[in-house]
Amino acid sequence: MAKRDYYEVLRVAKTADTEEIKKAYRKLALEYHPDKNPGDSDAEEKFKEATEAYEVLKDEQKRAQFDRFGHQAPGMGAGAGGFGFDFDISDAMNIFSRAFGGGGGFGGFDDLFGGGMRGGRRRRSVNRGGNLEVKLPLTLEEIADGVTKKVRIRRWEQCGTCEGSGARTGSEAVTCQTCGGAGQVQQVTRSIFGQMMNVTTCPTCKGEGTVITDPCPKCSGTGRDRSQVTLSVKVPAGVSSGNYLTLQNEGNKGLRGGPAGDVIVFIEEKAHPEFMREGDELILVKPISYARAVLGGTVEVPTIHGTARLKIPAKSRSGKVLRMRGEGLPHLNGFGRGDLLVELSIFIPEKVGSAERNLLAELDSNERFRPDDQEPA
C-alpha cells in the first residue's frame, strides 16, 4: 500500500506551524492509542502512521526534505537512512512519551484510558539511549558514484557482566515500593477550582518500576559500558551537504536494557579543485587560446569521470557557456544526471617575449582584431 502524505495523515495544511502539528498529533494519538484500543491492529497501525508523520513534520530539516522530495526524500525507507521508519509499536510509544512526557503523556491521559498502564505493563522506553551525530566528508567523485564508508564512534553498549540488567550477578531488581511498579505516582492537590490530580514519573525508580539494590560492580548499575565501534555507511549517489542518513539503533544503548538510540550521519561535501556544484549540475571554467576562440575547434576538458572532447564554436567570446549533457551528478534517488556547464575563458599569458610582442603588435595593427574605437598600440 502506498504511503499517505504526512500532512494528510495529521489532517493539517502544509502551512501548519509546529504547534498545530503537535495538537493534531495529540488528537490522533488520543483516538488511536493502543491502550484505548486493545487488540485493534488497525488502530495500532494508524497510531504508528500518525507518529511517523509527527516525527518528520515536527523537525524543520526533515520537513523541508519531505516538502521537496516527498517519500522519495534522501534515505527514505526502512534501513536506508534518512527518515528510515520501520519501528514497531513500542518505538512509536517511545516517541509519543518523549513528545508529551511520561507514560500517560498529556496530563490526565491515563484517566482517559481507565487509569494507568493496562495489565501492570511497564515500558522500558524511558531508558532509550541517546542519538549520536557524525559528520562524513565526501569528495565530489564519491558523491557522483555513491560510496560505502566506515565511521568510527564511541558509544555506550550493553554491559557484558550483568548483560544490561544493571544488577550484580545472582541478584535482580525489586519492585519499586514508591509506585508499586507502575513507574508513575499520582498527586492530588486542592485549589479553589477543586481537586486536581497530577501524574508524574516516580522519583525513586525514574519510571522503570523497579529498583536495583545490589548494582553490578563493573557498570555501577547502569547496565552499559563505553566502547568504540566501526560502522558501515552506504551513501547513495547524488547527496549533498546538509543531507543526512540515519543508522537506526546504532546509537547509545539505553540504561539497564533500554533500547538504543540512532546514529545520524551528516554529509559534508569537500571543495573540488576544478568543479563547482549547483544542484546536480557541475560548472567548469575552461581557459582557451584567443585563436581557438576566434577560429573554433575542439579541446579536451575534465569530467567527473575522466576527460571528454568539447567542440568550441567559432567566434566564441570569453564567458560563453557550453553545456555537456549528462556529465553532471546523478539525481538523488532518481534516474538521469545533471549536465556539465563549461564556461570559456580567454587565456592571457603572464609573460611574453619579443617575438610574441611583435606578433601581437601585428594583430593589433589589423582593424579586424580591435574594437572600432581603439587606436593601435
Side-chain angles (χ1 to χ4, degrees), residues 25-47:
Y25 173 53
R26 175 189 186 277
K27 181 178 179 181
L28 291 173
L30 286 169
E31 182 177 353
Y32 296 118
H33 195 285
D35 279 354
K36 190 177 181 181
N37 303 274
D40 188 338
S41 59
D42 184 57
E44 181 175 306
E45 287 304 313
K46 288 182 178 179
F47 179 78

Side-chain angles (χ1 to χ4, degrees), residues 147-194:
V147 66
T148 298
K149 304 283 282 187
K150 301 290 185 181
V151 295
R152 184 174 296 178
I153 62 171
R154 288 187 61 81
R155 68 182 182 190
W156 290 106
E157 294 196 315
Q158 178 176 290
C159 174
T161 300
C162 65
E163 297 182 347
S165 70
R168 185 188 294 270
T169 303
S171 66
E172 60 182 23
V174 298
T175 301
C176 175
Q177 298 300 307
T178 302
C179 64
Q184 297 175 329
V185 292
Q186 297 181 344
Q187 296 177 331
V188 178
T189 58
R190 298 177 183 276
S191 70
I192 60 173
F193 301 105

Side-chain angles (χ1 to χ4, degrees), residues 304-320:
I304 197 66
H305 288 121
T307 59
R309 304 293 293 179
L310 175 64
K311 185 177 180 180
I312 307 296
K315 303 178 183 179
S316 292
R317 296 178 179 273
S318 188
K320 183 180 181 65

Side-chain angles (χ1 to χ4, degrees), residues 257-338:
D262 302 329
V263 172
I264 314 298
V265 182
F266 288 93
I267 303 300
E268 288 188 344
E269 183 179 317
K270 295 181 180 179
H272 196 277
E274 294 181 294
F275 299 111
M276 293 179 289
R277 179 179 182 179
E278 188 171 306
D280 292 334
E281 293 185 327
L282 297 178
I283 301 171
L284 171 72
V285 177
K286 175 63 179 178
I288 60 172
S289 67
Y290 177 69
R292 192 64 51 89
V294 173
L295 302 176
T298 303
V299 296
E300 188 176 81
V301 297
T303 68
I304 197 66
H305 288 121
T307 59
R309 304 293 293 179
L310 175 64
K311 185 177 180 180
I312 307 296
K315 303 178 183 179
S316 292
R317 296 178 179 273
S318 188
K320 183 180 181 65
V321 177
L322 303 178
R323 183 180 296 270
M324 301 182 72
R325 302 284 182 183
E327 292 292 347
L329 296 175
H331 303 315
L332 181 62
N333 292 338
F335 299 98
R337 306 177 69 91

Side-chain angles (χ1 to χ4, degrees), residues 185-207:
V185 292
Q186 297 181 344
Q187 296 177 331
V188 178
T189 58
R190 298 177 183 276
S191 70
I192 60 173
F193 301 105
Q195 289 186 345
M196 298 183 65
M197 179 176 291
N198 295 319
V199 180
T200 60
T201 302
C202 176
T204 302
C205 66
K206 303 298 188 292

Side-chain angles (χ1 to χ4, degrees), residues 209-364:
T210 58
V211 176
I212 295 174
T213 57
D214 191 6
C216 169
K218 183 178 181 181
C219 65
S220 301
T222 63
R224 59 185 191 176
D225 279 334
R226 199 75 163 163
S227 179
Q228 182 170 280
V229 296
T230 300
L231 303 177
S232 180
V233 183
K234 187 176 182 180
V235 182
V239 297
S240 59
S241 290
N243 289 157
Y244 60 92
L245 304 171
T246 301
L247 306 182
Q248 292 186 323
N249 304 317
E250 293 289 357
N252 288 321
K253 189 71 175 177
L255 293 170
R256 291 174 288 281
D262 302 329
V263 172
I264 314 298
V265 182
F266 288 93
I267 303 300
E268 288 188 344
E269 183 179 317
K270 295 181 180 179
H272 196 277
E274 294 181 294
F275 299 111
M276 293 179 289
R277 179 179 182 179
E278 188 171 306
D280 292 334
E281 293 185 327
L282 297 178
I283 301 171
L284 171 72
V285 177
K286 175 63 179 178
I288 60 172
S289 67
Y290 177 69
R292 192 64 51 89
V294 173
L295 302 176
T298 303
V299 296
E300 188 176 81
V301 297
T303 68
I304 197 66
H305 288 121
T307 59
R309 304 293 293 179
L310 175 64
K311 185 177 180 180
I312 307 296
K315 303 178 183 179
S316 292
R317 296 178 179 273
S318 188
K320 183 180 181 65
V321 177
L322 303 178
R323 183 180 296 270
M324 301 182 72
R325 302 284 182 183
E327 292 292 347
L329 296 175
H331 303 315
L332 181 62
N333 292 338
F335 299 98
R337 306 177 69 91
D339 302 329
L340 172 60
L341 305 180
V342 182
E343 181 182 338
L344 303 181
S345 174
I346 305 300
F347 173 74
I348 299 177
E350 294 184 3
K351 297 180 179 180
V352 292
S354 58
E356 290 84 3
R357 287 180 179 276
N358 292 333
L359 286 173
L360 292 172
E362 184 177 348
L363 283 176
D364 192 53

